[in-house]
C-alpha cells in the first residue's frame, strides 16, 4: 500500500493554496503561473481561520491547536472547510503527527470544497494512514473508494490488493493483482515481476489451483529466467498431481528450459528415466549435471548410476533400428511410442518425431500424450511451426503442460 511518506510527498503539492487567504484581492498571479483558486469566505470564517494559518506557517503546534476549534466552528462553507483541512494537514506533516494527518485527510474527504480530482489520492492517503494506525478495515474501505474513483489505474488497484491482504482476504487480492496486470498490459506498460510473484504466492496460500497455474504461465511468459521456469513448473507439478508420463514430459521441459537445479533434481530425473527404460536419456541428464557441476560423479548414488547407464547404452542404442522396423509394422502405436521416447533420449529428435507421428497414426494411445511429446521433439529439432501445431492439438488435463511448452517454444531464437 502507499506508504505514509509517499502520501506526505503527494499531499505537499496540495497545501500551497492555503496562503491565498492572505493575498490582497487585487493581486494578480504571475503571467505564466496557473490561476490561483478563489476562495469564498465570510468575514467570520476569514477572521477565525487567520490565527490558525499564522500558527501553522510559524510551525507553532501549540498555538495552532489552540486556534483550531474556533476555525472549525466558523468554517461553515465548503471553501472554509477545505482551507481548515489543508492547514491541519500542513500542521500534521510539519510536526510528523500522523493522528493530525488522519484527521485532516478525513476532513478534506468530507467537504465538498475539495476538488474531485484530488479524491483518489486522498482516499489512498486515508488508507495508508489507517493502515499505519492498525485499522485494516478502514484501510480496505478507503482503497475500495479510491479504486471506484480511479478504476483503470494499475497502481491503485495493487494498493487495494494489499489492503485486502491486510484484511485477511488473500483470495480477493489475487483477482485484483491479476486485474492490475491486465490493466498495465492494456496500457502498454511493463508489468513488474513482483506483481506476478505476489499474486502467485497469494494464490498458492489460498489453494487456488487453476489460478496458480495461470499465474505461473504468465510469470514465465513475461520473465523467462531459469529460476522462474523452475518455480512455475514445480507449482504446476504440485498443483496438477501429474501421473508418471506427464511428470516425464514436465522434467524434459525443465531440462530444456535449463531449470534443473541441484543434486535432487538431477537424481530424481535420471532415476525416473532409468527406471522407465531410458538409459540413454538418463546418461545425458547425468552428463549435463556433471558438466554444470550440479553433481559429483564420484559420489554415490551418482557413481553407480553413471556406471550402470554406461554399461547399457551401447546395446540399447544398437537395438533401436530393429525396434523401429517392428514399430512401423505393429498393429498399434505402443512400440512406436516407446521407441520414439528412446530416440528422444539420445537427442535424435527428428527420428523421435517421425515415430511419434507413427504412434498417432496407428492409435491405441492417448493422443494428447503423443502430441505433447511430438511437439517437444519437433521443438528441439528446430521445426517450430510443426511443433506449435502438435502442441496446440493437446487438450484435456495435458493442455496446461502443452501451454508451458508453447511458451518455451516461443522464447527460442
Amino acid at each position: 500500500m502507499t506508504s505514509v511518506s509517499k502520501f506526505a510527498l503527494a499531499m505537499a503539492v496540495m497545501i500551497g493554496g492555503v496562503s491565498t487567504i492572505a493575498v490582497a484581492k487585487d493581486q494578480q498571479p504571475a503571467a505564466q503561473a496557473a490561476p490561483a483558486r478563489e476562495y469564498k469566505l465570510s468575514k467570520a470564517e476569514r477572521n477565525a481561520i487567520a490565527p490558525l494559518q499564522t500558527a501553522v506557517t510559524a510551525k507553532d503546534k501549540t498555538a495552532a491547536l489552540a486556534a483550531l476549534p474556533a476555525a472549525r466552528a466558523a468554517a461553515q462553507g465548503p471553501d472554509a472547510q477545505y482551507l481548515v483541512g489543508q492547514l491541519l494537514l500542513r500542521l500534521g506533516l510539519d510536526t510528523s503527527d500522523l493522528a493530525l494527518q488522519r484527521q485532516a485527510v478525513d476532513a478534506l474527504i468530507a467537504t465538498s470544497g475539495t476538488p474531485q480530482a484530488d479524491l483518489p489520492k486522498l482516499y489512498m492517503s486515508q488508507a495508508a494512514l489507517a493502515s499505519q494506525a492498525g485499522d485494516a478495515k478502514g484501510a480496505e474501505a478507503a482503497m475500495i473508494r479510491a479504486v471506484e474513483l480511479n478504476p483503470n489505474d494499475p497502481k491503485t488497484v495493487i494498493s487495494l490488493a494489499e489492503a485486502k491482504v491486510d484484511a485477511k482476504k488473500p483470495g480477493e487480492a489475487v483477482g485484483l493483482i491479476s486485474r492490475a496486470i491486465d490493466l498495465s498490459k492494456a496500457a502498454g506498460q511493463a508489468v513488474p515481476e513482483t506483481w506476478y510473484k505476489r499474486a502467485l504466492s497469494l494464490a498458492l496460500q489460498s489453494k487456488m489451483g487453476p489460478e496458480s497455474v495461470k499465474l505461473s504461465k504468465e510469470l514465465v511468459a513475461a520473465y523467462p529466467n531459469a529460476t522462474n521456469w523452475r518455480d512455475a513448473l514445480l507449482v504446476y507439478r504440485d498443483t496438477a498431481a501429474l501421473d508418471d508420463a506427464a511428470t516425464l514430459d514436465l522434467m524434459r521441459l525443465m531440462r530444456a528450459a535449463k531449470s534443473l537445479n541441484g543434486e535432487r533434481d538431477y537424481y530424481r530425473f535420471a532415476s525416473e528415466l532409468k527406471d522407465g527404460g531410458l538409459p540413454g536419456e538418463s546418461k545425458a541428464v547425468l552428463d549435463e549435471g556433471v558438466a554444470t557441476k550440479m553433481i559429483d560423479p564420484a559420489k554415490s548414488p551418482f557413481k553407480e548410476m553413471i556406471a550402470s547407464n554406461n554399461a547399457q547404452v551401447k546395446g540399447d542404442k544398437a537395438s533401436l533400428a530393429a525396434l523401429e522396423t517392428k514399430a512401423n509394422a505393429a498393429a498399434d502405436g505402443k512400440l512406436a511410442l516407446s521407441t520414439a521416447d528412446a530416440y528422444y533420449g539420445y537427442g535424435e529428435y527428428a527420428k523421435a518425431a517421425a515415430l511419434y507421428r507413427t504412434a498417432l497414426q496407428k492409435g491405441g494411445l492417448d493422443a494428447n500424450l503423443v502430441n505433447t511429446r511430438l511437439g517437444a521433439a519437433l521443438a528441439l529439432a528446430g521445426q517450430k511451426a510443426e511443433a506449435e501445431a502438435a502442441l496446440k492439438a493437446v487438450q484435456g488435463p495435458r493442455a496446461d503442460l502443452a501451454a508451458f511448452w508453447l511458451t518455451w517454444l516461443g522464447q527460442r531464437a
Side-chain angles (χ1 to χ4, degrees):
M1 186 181 295
T2 304
S3 68
V4 175
S5 60
K6 288 183 180 178
F7 148 74
L9 290 173
M11 291 297 99
V13 177
M14 298 177 60
I15 61 180
V18 175
S19 62
T20 58
I21 66 170
V23 175
K25 291 182 180 179
D26 60 351
Q27 184 174 341
Q28 297 299 316
Q32 299 301 319
R37 174 174 171 175
E38 293 184 6
Y39 296 96
K40 296 179 180 179
L41 305 176
S42 69
K43 184 177 179 180
E45 288 173 335
R46 186 178 296 276
N47 289 340
I49 293 173
L52 175 62
Q53 181 188 3
T54 300
V56 169
T57 302
K59 299 184 180 181
D60 185 340
K61 185 176 182 180
T62 301
L65 291 177
L68 181 61
R72 278 177 165 165
Q76 297 300 306
D79 281 3
Q81 292 168 354
Y82 177 71
L83 288 170
V84 171
Q86 289 276 29
L87 286 165
L88 183 58
L89 178 57
R90 174 177 281 176
L91 178 64
L93 293 171
D94 287 345
T95 59
S96 300
D97 188 323
L98 296 181
L100 288 180
Q101 292 175 29
R102 196 175 184 190
Q103 289 179 43
V105 170
D106 290 349
L108 287 167
I109 288 173
T111 179
S112 61
T114 297
Q116 289 294 305
D118 292 341
L119 286 176
K121 281 185 178 180
L122 281 168
Y123 276 112
M124 290 189 73
S125 300
Q126 186 182 56
L129 290 162
S131 180
Q132 184 80 8
D135 180 7
K137 187 175 181 180
E140 179 188 10
M143 280 310 312
I144 288 173
R145 285 292 294 128
V147 169
E148 288 173 350
L149 292 168
N150 200 8
N152 296 320
D153 179 54
K155 291 183 179 178
T156 304
V157 176
I158 285 290
S159 292
L160 174 56
E162 290 304 326
K164 291 289 187 181
V165 173
D166 292 342
K168 312 298 182 187
K169 299 176 182 178
E172 292 183 32
V174 172
L176 286 163
I177 299 173
S178 292
R179 174 179 163 187
I181 289 170
D182 291 341
L183 285 169
S184 291
K185 289 179 179 177
Q189 300 169 356
V191 180
E193 184 177 4
T194 53
W195 290 11
Y196 293 106
K197 290 187 172 183
R198 179 66 163 152
L200 178 55
S201 173
L202 292 169
L204 289 169
Q205 175 186 327
S206 303
K207 302 186 185 305
M208 299 169 67
E211 190 67 21
S212 297
V213 174
K214 173 180 174 290
L215 288 163
S216 294
K217 288 188 285 189
E218 291 180 356
L219 173 62
V220 292
Y223 293 95
N225 58 58
T227 298
N228 286 344
W229 265 110
R230 183 176 191 277
D231 291 344
L233 292 175
L234 291 181
V235 165
Y236 170 63
R237 182 197 70 188
D238 295 342
T239 302
L242 305 181
D243 60 20
D244 289 345
T247 299
L248 169 63
D249 297 326
L250 178 137
M251 295 296 285
R252 281 176 165 176
L253 177 53
M254 288 185 74
R255 183 184 172 203
K258 301 188 185 306
S259 60
L260 294 174
N261 186 37
E263 287 186 349
R264 185 175 180 180
D265 281 358
Y266 280 95
Y267 177 73
R268 178 177 180 179
F269 190 20
S271 295
E272 289 181 359
L273 290 166
K274 184 171 178 57
D275 292 344
L278 298 171
E281 192 168 359
S282 178
K283 179 181 185 304
V285 168
L286 291 176
D287 287 347
E288 184 178 287
V290 172
T292 57
K293 301 187 185 305
M294 291 287 182
I295 62 175
D296 181 354
K299 178 181 176 181
S300 292
F302 298 109
K303 179 180 179 180
E304 292 78 11
M305 195 183 306
I306 289 170
S308 177
N309 284 334
N310 288 339
Q312 292 182 50
V313 292
K314 185 176 181 180
D316 180 70
K317 192 171 185 179
S319 70
L320 294 183
L323 290 173
E324 183 178 356
T325 300
K326 290 181 180 179
N328 287 325
D332 59 38
K334 293 179 182 178
L335 183 57
L337 174 62
S338 61
T339 308
D341 283 340
Y343 273 125
Y344 184 109
Y346 286 108
E348 296 191 37
Y349 302 117
K351 284 189 175 182
L355 281 165
Y356 285 133
R357 285 191 170 116
T358 298
L360 278 174
Q361 292 166 1
K362 289 182 176 293
L365 300 165
D366 178 359
N368 292 312
L369 182 156
V370 181
N371 271 317
T372 304
R373 295 184 179 176
L374 172 59
L378 289 167
L380 291 167
Q383 299 180 51
K384 188 172 182 179
E386 294 86 347
E388 286 180 353
L391 292 167
K392 286 178 180 178
V394 177
Q395 300 176 356
R398 282 178 160 264
D400 284 324
L401 178 56
F404 275 114
W405 269 102
L406 279 166
T407 297
W408 174 80
L409 178 62
Q411 294 163 359
R412 285 173 62 81

